[in-house]
Amino acid sequence: MKLLAAAIALLSLFVASSAPADPTRWRDDVRKVAPALEKYGEGTLLGDVWKRPDLSPRDRSIVTLAALIARNQTIEMPFYLNLALDSGVKPREISEVITHLAFYSGWANATSAVAVAKDVFAERKVGADQLPDASPQLLPLNEATEADRAARVGQQFGAAVPGIVQYTTDVLFRDLWLRPELAPRDRSLVTVSALIATGQVAQIPYHLNRAMDNGLTQSQAAEAITHLAFYVGWPNVFSALPVAKEVFEKRPG
Amino acid sequence: MKLLAAAIALLSLFVASSAPADPTRWRDDVRKVAPALEKYGEGTLLGDVWKRPDLSPRDRSIVTLAALIARNQTIEMPFYLNLALDSGVKPREISEVITHLAFYSGWANATSAVAVAKDVFAERKVGADQLPDASPQLLPLNEATEADRAARVGQQFGAAVPGIVQYTTDVLFRDLWLRPELAPRDRSLVTVSALIATGQVAQIPYHLNRAMDNGLTQSQAAEAITHLAFYVGWPNVFSALPVAKEVFEKRPG
Amino acid sequence: MKLLAAAIALLSLFVASSAPADPTRWRDDVRKVAPALEKYGEGTLLGDVWKRPDLSPRDRSIVTLAALIARNQTIEMPFYLNLALDSGVKPREISEVITHLAFYSGWANATSAVAVAKDVFAERKVGADQLPDASPQLLPLNEATEADRAARVGQQFGAAVPGIVQYTTDVLFRDLWLRPELAPRDRSLVTVSALIATGQVAQIPYHLNRAMDNGLTQSQAAEAITHLAFYVGWPNVFSALPVAKEVFEKRPG
């Protein structure tokens, strides 16, 4: 048993060492390779960007998690999952963010996030009662808007690729988007963040407009884009800027 | 020796825990974080998408592996490598898929896939006799088509970036594409899947046409695109849809 | 203590097994899955591409590291970090490459690279005296050029997304780019490599021109693009080719 205990302790050490869960230790590693990175991280990123007033730490946490999951970057997930929970994001919201991104960034991105989140949830004693139901009562659907969307997409792609048109309606817009434990505004924020995070500009107009229809203000959107630059890199954000700008300018004042 | 055995057992446990090789255990993890993801995974994805008639489980396995390798998502590779082998994909075909994607998605993507596949191959006792030769007798080349392609690319980029033009001819089209253990139609399916998986729409017209010239039917192509939505995310597929549609419409009926 | 020692040894083995640090072992793994990949790797890639005269092994190392970090591919980093150090890239330059890419490919990409580089640095006894200062004396700024850039970007996006415009000026062009331990020409080479590596063509014209203004010759740029095909995949490079060609053609001869 002593053997087992020691081996388990060592394994835990190893697992911990691959993730910046312990900030002190982590800071130490960064210092041994890139002292400037520590400076920018502590000063600019955590000390300045995260404290800007136009987007709450809660929203910044959602944006950051969406970016990390969409880019499959598990190394910083333990830190930001904990920061999210400390900033008021509920476990059930995190659960929905992961499920949502299975569809908006790929199944294995969600799988990878689950593998990290299960440990964070276990450490924080998040039980089944704090998770969403698999099949909850859905939010009411705006039938007219959805009928419009479905007709437009069906006309464009229904003959060429019928399967995707069908799943987009049945699984995404008549099910996933109506799951109640993540507000539509937050779901949109996750989606837009994932699009920017992966350089997918073509669908930004639709989803950024939807986000703003769902209650995201322009200054929150602008601040989310600024925030994302640090987590997804300047190039992805600069590719999104002209598109976001056009969305902002075309919306009725 | 007992110590060693115990430590090895623990290490195996740890290694296993990072990959969904054991479905029961894996399902358990998902349930602890995202019960809805389990529902969609069992119901929609494995229970419905994979059973659609227009694309065989074998082809779906090739498409899925191509997507995972192109996106460097090792976490689900053990499960899908096993599923591929169970669905009739041969080890030598998997070997060629990995080699092909070294060139079509980047060297380290192939390296990462090797690291996972070697364990799956070892577990299933796949020996050297089931792998392709490093330098086999190549398939015959359609000289006229290749001369056309080479002339077109050479004219476009031969003066600006001569090296890439040379390697594209010598290593890709006069060597890699002619390796016999993966049928040209499957090689094309892998290439198109990788392009969609990484949001590279510019080369879809050339490679989707080539895939269909190589025997992929339009309904198979459409179904592969639908299938990919789940593994590479809706945005990548929606960026590919207009391009695929145009290819379908322009082909002689 | 014997227990601990044995367990640590085993853990080291496990850690080592996930990275191609030991070429002999690694080659063995590749051979068990994809003999052709070994052939192309030894023959074409290391035996031919790396020896082409138009780009030095040192520059190829920088390009390769930038590609791996930008794509978050840690598996081959130990090998290429060592190759870089053996090819004349200094630890302080590697440190700056990582810090630079935090901004040009995303924070967690830098974090992941730190996690690998710290072990390589430790093995090679790279001490703090071989790392850049966190806040060094900056290189002189070309005020006119920077004023132009800032005015152009400010006019485009200052009203829509003011935060990003501010950080681009303050943190990137008046700080990061002026850090002295990575030459501007190398910093540009890193940036262009990261853009190609992630399929971000929109900013290639600006940064490729900047690279050439900073001293990168056209034949070096062309050779870097050729080199990248192997590390980031043909599709990313073929998407960059028309853009690079146009940059080359438009520059005053």
Side-chain angles (χ1 to χ4, degrees), chain A residues 168-189:
Chain A
T168 304
T169 296
D170 295 350
V171 183
L172 265 52
F173 287 100
R174 289 185 174 274
D175 186 357
L176 182 71
W177 276 89
L178 304 177
R179 295 180 55 82
E181 300 288 13
L182 188 67
R185 178 259 195 202
D186 293 341
R187 212 171 269 282
S188 281
L189 186 58

Side-chain angles (χ1 to χ4, degrees), chain B residues 47-67:
Chain B
D48 178 20
V49 174
W50 273 82
K51 293 177 176 164
R52 290 166 63 92
D54 282 340
L55 197 69
S56 70
R58 178 199 173 273
D59 286 350
R60 289 183 190 275
S61 293
I62 288 179
V63 167
T64 307
L65 285 180

Side-chain angles (χ1 to χ4, degrees), chain B residues 119-133:
Chain B
D119 291 336
V120 174
F121 281 10
E123 278 161 31
R124 297 178 72 124
K125 317 248 183 261
V126 172
D129 59 314
Q130 296 182 63
L131 299 180
D133 285 348

Side-chain angles (χ1 to χ4, degrees), chain C residues 34 36 63 65 77 86-87 104 139 155 178 200 208 218 238:
Chain C
V63 167
L65 285 181
M77 274 185 210
D86 293 340
S87 305
Y104 279 92
L139 297 174
Q155 203 170 8
L178 304 178
Q200 281 291 356
L208 182 51
Q218 181 174 325
F238 264 73

